[in-house]
Amino acid sequence: MDWGHAAPGCLGWWFCLPESRYHVAREWKFVGLADEEIADGYHERTKDLGVKTVRYVAGDPSMGIRDGRNSKRGQSRAETFQRAGMPMRKAENARTDGWSRVHSMLRVPRDAEGRVTGPPMLTIDASCVYGRRTMP
């Protein structure tokens, strides 16, 4: 989850598949929403996907900062989301390493003769327009 209020935020649902593969099944790009509205949208979309258990939501580390933005409640954004039932986990901001890993996961595996030997480790649903546009 990349939090955003004035700038767009985005939340993606990644499914863990057999053979260490992943599929991004849905994305949600949002802007101008309160934390509680984002949490409600997360729950609604998770339910729509038929997901009963989410292992965790990796959130931007800045979401854990108590900088007065939530002074009324005295808690960080991550705490607000946790209290709203989102299993938040602090993500790393190792962007270069992360992009390198994503590029590797998107490669189609081939044998020595160049024949395709299986699907890529990461697939992205066609409905994920924002993520697919951002990848290049």
Side-chain angles (χ1 to χ4, degrees):
M1 175 181 185
D2 189 15
W3 183 87
H5 182 73
C10 189
L11 188 55
W13 283 258
W14 288 53
F15 285 76
C16 299
L17 305 174
E19 301 176 15
S20 299
R21 293 182 55 242
Y22 301 93
H23 179 68
V24 182
R26 178 173 290 176
E27 67 180 10
W28 177 37
K29 183 178 172 184
F30 52 86
V31 65
L33 298 179
D35 297 342
E36 293 80 6
E37 293 171 308
I38 295 168
D40 289 345
Y42 158 81
H43 288 297
E44 177 185 318
R45 286 161 177 81
T46 300
K47 183 179 177 182
D48 286 348
L49 281 169
V51 175
K52 303 250 188 274
T53 303
V54 173
R55 288 198 302 188
Y56 63 89
V57 175
D60 186 307
S62 68
M63 293 170 60
I65 298 170
R66 293 182 186 183
D67 62 1
R69 292 180 292 194
N70 287 333
S71 58
K72 181 178 172 185
R73 293 179 294 254
Q75 63 192 22
S76 70
R77 287 202 156 80
E79 290 170 318
T80 299
F81 291 129
Q82 287 171 331
R83 290 180 183 186
M86 293 175 66
M88 297 300 298
R89 178 187 288 181
K90 182 179 172 182
E92 294 182 30
N93 270 350
R95 292 179 186 262
T96 302
D97 293 339
W99 279 113
S100 176
R101 186 167 184 201
V102 167
H103 283 273
S104 294
M105 294 173 74
L106 288 169
R107 296 181 98 181
V108 175
R110 298 179 185 276
D111 63 18
E113 286 78 41
R115 292 183 300 254
V116 173
T117 59
M121 290 179 62
L122 173 62
T123 54
I124 303 168
D125 192 83
S127 68
C128 297
V129 177
Y130 180 66
R132 292 168 62 94
R133 186 185 77 223
T134 303
M135 287 294 169

